[in-house]
Amino acid sequence: QAQVAESGGGLVQAGGSLRLSCAPSRPSFGSTFRTSAMGWFRQANGKNREFVAGVSRGGSNTDYVDSVKGRFTISRDSDKNTVYLQMTNLKPEDTAVYYCAQTLQRRPLFRGNSWGQGTQVTVSS
């Protein structure tokens, strides 16, 4: 059963912006979500899912794959128990389904149906 729900994707032109959100989809996961490092991953058609950005459980430390540094910002709101991915200056190569997951050293800890449905981001040139 999915542990998180992602939202905020859409169709934008190159250079545009989007903000993705991720929150626990099950109350039983809420506490784990709050006290875990979380990350965003993406999967483009025909490619493997890849790490994009991560945030520590306290929110003070962040990590990004080189291709999004300076364009994407990951953050978390402890009051809302939500993780965000602010994406700016989007490029067509950012087109993918974006997922969030509990993360350890850029690796997702989710397996199988723990993943959410993801949110589609499509960037037109």
Side-chain angles (χ1 to χ4, degrees), residues 6 13 20 31 44 50 69 83-84 91 94 96 100 112 114 123:
E6 302 93 345
Q13 290 187 330
L20 308 184
S31 179
E50 64 171 354
K69 282 181 180 178
V83 172
Y84 302 99
K91 303 176 180 181
D94 295 318
C100 77
S114 293
V123 185

Side-chain angles (χ1 to χ4, degrees), residues 1 6 14 27 36 53 58 74 109-110 122 125:
Q1 192 170 0
E6 302 93 345
S36 296
I74 188 171
L109 298 181
F110 283 177
T122 303
S125 57

Side-chain angles (χ1 to χ4, degrees), residues 18-41:
L18 285 172
R19 189 178 79 157
L20 308 184
S21 299
C22 171
S25 58
R26 302 175 62 194
S28 60
F29 190 64
S31 179
T32 300
F33 186 102
R34 186 181 303 279
T35 58
S36 296
M38 297 296 296
W40 284 95
F41 298 80

Side-chain angles (χ1 to χ4, degrees), residues 8-12 18 20 119-123:
L11 171 64
V12 296
L18 285 172
L20 308 184
T119 186
Q120 175 71 49
V121 171
T122 303
V123 185

Side-chain angles (χ1 to χ4, degrees), residues 93-104:
E93 52 263 42
D94 295 318
T95 295
V97 179
Y98 284 70
Y99 302 88
C100 77
Q102 193 179 1
T103 304
L104 179 63

Side-chain angles (χ1 to χ4, degrees), residues 10-96:
L11 171 64
V12 296
Q13 290 187 330
S17 299
L18 285 172
R19 189 178 79 157
L20 308 184
S21 299
C22 171
S25 58
R26 302 175 62 194
S28 60
F29 190 64
S31 179
T32 300
F33 186 102
R34 186 181 303 279
T35 58
S36 296
M38 297 296 296
W40 284 95
F41 298 80
R42 66 187 178 187
Q43 187 167 21
N45 283 341
K47 296 187 177 181
N48 293 328
R49 188 151 40 196
E50 64 171 354
F51 171 83
V52 175
V55 62
S56 61
R57 62 181 184 178
S60 59
N61 294 316
T62 57
D63 181 28
Y64 301 92
V65 69
D66 285 347
S67 60
V68 308
K69 282 181 180 178
R71 301 188 298 120
F72 291 11
T73 303
I74 188 171
S75 62
R76 66 192 308 164
D77 184 326
S78 59
D79 290 338
K80 296 182 179 179
N81 207 18
T82 299
V83 172
Y84 302 99
L85 185 68
Q86 178 68 50
M87 306 186 295
T88 62
N89 192 20
L90 282 160
K91 303 176 180 181
E93 52 263 42
D94 295 318
T95 295

